């Protein structure tokens, strides 16, 4: 069984990395989140990390924003091994995610990944 942890070095940290994914990547939206996907070419060293999580101030106080980012992180963590390699992702929480259940956010994340071609059409293999 694979270890389901999300390493710190796999996360985007710098604002410039986020901006690059926003500018050059494609976006896919659902009710709970927006998924930005940027294809990283092998050998490219300008983008360190694979995934970033964001929640804007429009979502509410810090407690709500942290909860939304935690839901996004958990959805990614559970399915990171199913995703295609060489992609940088940014997951941005939307207003509906504030009151959403984890399962709803997870299903939305998987649907967007299928739409973006990051995982197979049949869905998650548990």
């Amino acid at each position: 069984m694979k270890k389901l942890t999300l390493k710190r070095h796999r996360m985007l940290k710098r604002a410039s990395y986020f901006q690059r994914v926003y500018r050059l990547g494609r976006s896919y939206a659902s009710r709970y989140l927006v998924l930005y996907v940027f294809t990283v070419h092998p050998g490219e060293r300008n983008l360190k990390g694979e995934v970033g999580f964001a929640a804007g101030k429009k979502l509410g106080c810090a407690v709500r924003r942290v909860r939304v980012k935690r839901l996004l992180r958990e959805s990614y963590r559970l399915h990171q091994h199913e995703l295609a390699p060489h992609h940088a992702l940014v997951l941005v929480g939307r207003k509906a995610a504030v009151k959403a259940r984890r399962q709803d956010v997870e299903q939305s994340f998987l649907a967007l990944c299928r739409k973006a071609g990051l995982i197979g059409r049949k869905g998650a293999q548990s």
Side-chain angles (χ1 to χ4, degrees), residues 12-85:
L12 297 176
K13 294 179 184 75
R14 293 189 177 190
S16 61
Y17 298 157
F18 277 84
Q19 289 303 316
R20 185 160 185 214
V21 175
Y22 289 141
R23 262 194 340 267
L24 303 174
R26 293 203 47 178
S27 65
Y28 302 89
S30 71
R31 180 177 180 197
Y32 300 112
L33 64 117
V34 179
L35 174 68
Y36 290 89
V37 180
F38 175 67
T39 304
V40 180
H41 301 291
E44 187 174 349
R45 295 179 175 259
N46 294 340
L47 194 64
K48 293 181 175 66
E50 297 177 5
V51 64
F53 306 96
K57 291 204 175 187
K58 287 184 178 182
L59 298 183
C61 66
V63 173
R64 290 181 180 161
R65 294 194 307 268
V66 168
R67 180 179 182 274
V68 168
K69 288 202 296 189
R70 197 169 54 234
L71 290 173
L72 296 174
R73 267 196 313 269
E74 183 68 5
S75 298
Y76 177 81
R77 183 188 69 84
L78 291 174
H79 300 284
Q80 64 186 336
H81 299 293
E82 301 169 23
L83 301 177

Side-chain angles (χ1 to χ4, degrees), residues 30 32-33 75 79 101-114 124:
S30 71
Y32 300 112
L33 64 117
S75 298
H79 300 284
R101 298 178 319 150
R102 184 191 57 83
Q103 294 87 353
D104 297 335
V105 174
E106 185 177 345
Q107 291 302 316
S108 182
F109 171 69
L110 289 173
L112 290 180
C113 287
R114 277 187 223 99

